Amino acid sequence: MRSDFLPFSKPSISEDDINAVNKVLRSGWITTGPKVSEFEKMFCDFIGCREAVALTSATAGLHLILKALDIGPGDEVITPSLTWVSTINMIVLCGATPIFVDVDKDTLMITAENIEKVISEKTKLIIPVHYTGAPADMKPISLVSKSKKIPVIWDAAHAAGTMYNGKFVGSEGTSIFSFHPIKNITTGEGGMICSDDEELICKIRRLKFHGLGTDAYDRKIQGRSPQAQVIEPGYKYNMTDISAVLGIQQLVKLEMFNKKRTIIAEEYLDKFSDIDEIVPLSYPASISIKHSWHLFVVRLNVESDMTRDMFMYKLKEKNIGTGIHFLPVHQQKYYAETLSSKNIILPNTEWNGDRILSLPLFPDMTHRDIDDVVETIKDILK
Ligand SMILES: *Cc1c(COP(=O)(O)O)cnc(C)c1O
């Protein structure tokens, strides 16, 4: 058994990153300023999108988009239940109703076919997830969106560096990225909205900072004009320069990080190929993709009565950390009690919800770490 605990995720922060943050701290300007503008521009250039707005989190981005699209009581938003809770929380906090769509059993992503089935007159938005860093099959979903005139917001929290048919996720349409410490690059906490919709971006820029027509920082005048007035009541979701400088440092290394993640994931896939009880995910067929390997999710498929939770506990006892991405939202206490459950039929979501776990995967993992995970799993399954 290994002597130290192996977490399922760990950010890669270098001395250079720390020094860069230090410099901002000493500069006299630590909130939204030149580093935020630079990070937004770099992210835009990297992804190949028209506009990018840096925020305090992806959740903040979701909230702003729902508000900018004027989604509220009486409106329905289509989303998977197998996603991070923040999407559903934001929909509900806006007064709208989440409409859950089942996922494909092996990619764990929602499909155009299932989306189409639940579209109603009340549907105002579709939020698919690029789950674990593979892209959702975007083309058929975009076609449904166009033909029904319902916008799509891509949850790209897992998908920094993911490609779909030769283009980066985020380069077209509107997408939200997250820079939470477990994500492929981090700013401590943070998020980015990428969009080619200038009108939407204009509203987002206003709503992210009190509804004033401006940021805290204006490059020309070194500080917001004291005369700036509220155009509409807004929020306080602007990223700080302390976070943005870390983002700049990390973005330069994103492709290197993802390459390391890919090597680890491929080694896992190879080593698990002869272990029947460990079932990795598959990716949408018939499209060309580049996986960013945000997570390595497997399904525990055993004949014995060992549950996934017991299996995770046994791994923890052997100093191997794991996570669950995600517990289906419709089964969580508040939502199980408040949503009318008779309409919620999500067999693939529930089957996977009982079996998925995320194994350790982060750029600084060693071959030794991978062996520890695989050998410990084999031991427990024996
Ligand atoms: C992490 C995550 C989010 C939220 O990101 P934050 O930056 O923490 O708000 C949203 N959706 C998915 C699928 C995520 O994994």
Side-chain angles (χ1 to χ4, degrees):
M1 176 175 130
R2 49 182 295 138
S3 54
D4 59 323
F5 186 73
L6 179 68
F8 84 85
S9 175
K10 194 165 95 182
S12 301
I13 306 287
S14 68
E15 283 305 311
D16 282 353
D17 297 352
I18 293 166
N19 290 336
V21 172
N22 230 320
K23 232 169 126 183
V24 168
L25 287 171
R26 293 180 198 281
S27 74
W29 190 282
I30 58 178
T31 185
T32 313
K35 294 299 174 192
V36 167
S37 308
E38 191 183 333
F39 184 36
E40 287 176 346
K41 176 152 193 333
M42 268 180 77
F43 204 80
C44 245
D45 290 347
F46 175 79
I47 295 287
C49 59
R50 197 176 301 166
E51 294 271 359
V53 184
L55 302 163
T56 46
S57 69
T59 305
L62 266 163
H63 193 193
L64 293 178
I65 284 177
L66 291 167
K67 285 291 171 186
L69 297 177
D70 203 19
I71 289 171
D75 297 334
E76 293 181 349
V77 180
I78 294 175
T79 159
S81 171
L82 204 70
T83 185
W84 181 230
V85 292
S86 64
T87 306
I88 290 80
N89 284 345
M90 290 303 120
I91 295 168
V92 168
L93 285 171
C94 285
T97 306
I99 301 295
F100 295 120
V101 165
D102 205 8
V103 291
D104 176 88
K105 192 170 178 185
D106 292 311
T107 67
L108 302 200
M109 290 196 245
I110 59 173
T111 57
E113 208 184 351
N114 288 347
I115 291 168
E116 215 163 0
K117 283 184 209 153
V118 298
I119 286 178
S120 78
E121 274 139 45
K122 295 180 188 164
T123 311
K124 288 288 149 58
L125 184 64
I126 305 165
I127 311 179
V129 179
H130 298 296
Y131 189 74
T132 72
D137 196 357
M138 297 169 74
K139 206 171 162 191
I141 296 175
S142 300
L143 284 175
V144 170
S145 153
K146 276 200 190 96
S147 75
K148 305 278 184 185
K149 298 195 168 53
I150 298 165
V152 177
I153 300 296
W154 304 96
D155 182 337
H158 299 178
T162 299
M163 293 181 109
Y164 176 81
N165 285 340
K167 283 185 176 164
F168 279 115
V169 156
S171 58
E172 285 170 12
T174 301
S175 305
I176 305 176
F177 293 87
S178 169
F179 310 126
H180 177 274
I182 87 159
K183 303 290 154 69
N184 291 36
I185 56 171
T186 187
T187 59
E189 294 280 0
M192 188 81 81
I193 294 179
C194 291
S195 184
D196 45 22
D197 182 341
E198 306 229 352
E199 200 185 315
L200 178 70
I201 288 292
C202 192
K203 281 189 196 158
I204 298 285
R205 285 200 183 278
R206 191 159 72 218
L207 282 173
K208 74 159 184 171
F209 193 71
H210 307 298
L212 299 168
T214 145
D215 278 344
Y217 174 84
D218 183 305
R219 256 172 292 188
K220 291 191 202 81
I221 57 171
Q222 278 291 331
R224 172 175 52 86
S225 139
Q227 286 80 17
Q229 294 189 22
V230 174
I231 296 163
E232 62 178 314
Y235 299 86
K236 184 74 198 301
Y237 287 156
N238 53 303
M239 183 182 274
T240 68
D241 266 20
I242 301 172
S243 292
V245 75
L246 187 52
I248 292 167
Q249 290 284 122
Q250 294 259 304
L251 183 55
V252 174
K253 295 182 274 193
L254 173 60
E255 297 216 271
M256 182 263 286
F257 288 158
N258 286 356
K259 212 168 273 169
K260 288 185 173 180
R261 287 175 175 276
T262 305
I263 291 168
I264 296 161
E266 284 173 354
E267 195 168 328
Y268 270 143
L269 285 172
D270 181 49
K271 293 195 158 135
F272 288 132
S273 62
D274 57 358
I275 306 179
D276 292 343
E277 295 92 339
I278 299 295
V279 187
L281 305 183
S282 54
Y283 333 117
S286 78
I287 48 170
S288 130
I289 75 160
K290 187 169 169 194
H291 202 313
S292 65
W293 286 108
H294 168 54
L295 295 168
F296 194 85
V297 171
V298 297
R299 284 77 58 85
L300 178 70
N301 199 18
V302 288
E303 312 247 304
S304 69
D305 54 10
M306 180 166 51
T307 63
R308 182 267 321 274
D309 293 358
M310 281 158 68
F311 185 66
M312 287 174 70
Y313 183 74
K314 285 184 177 186
L315 281 164
K316 194 173 167 193
E317 277 184 334
K318 303 275 187 199
N319 272 340
I320 309 282
T322 54
I324 303 175
H325 302 91
F326 301 95
L327 289 177
V329 178
H330 74 283
Q331 294 177 323
Q332 299 195 28
K333 188 172 168 15
Y334 176 82
Y335 293 109
E337 286 169 7
T338 55
L339 298 172
S340 63
S341 55
K342 60 183 183 306
N343 298 326
I344 301 180
I345 303 162
L346 306 168
N348 292 340
T349 299
E350 292 181 5
W351 189 88
N352 278 285
D354 288 340
R355 290 170 178 79
I356 46 174
L357 66 149
S358 307
L359 300 180
L361 174 59
F362 52 90
D364 297 335
M365 258 179 92
T366 63
H367 290 289
R368 185 73 193 280
D369 293 333
I370 302 171
D371 282 340
D372 283 346
V373 175
V374 175
E375 291 311 312
T376 309
I377 286 178
K378 279 185 179 165
D379 251 15
I380 294 172
L381 291 173
K382 234 188 257 163

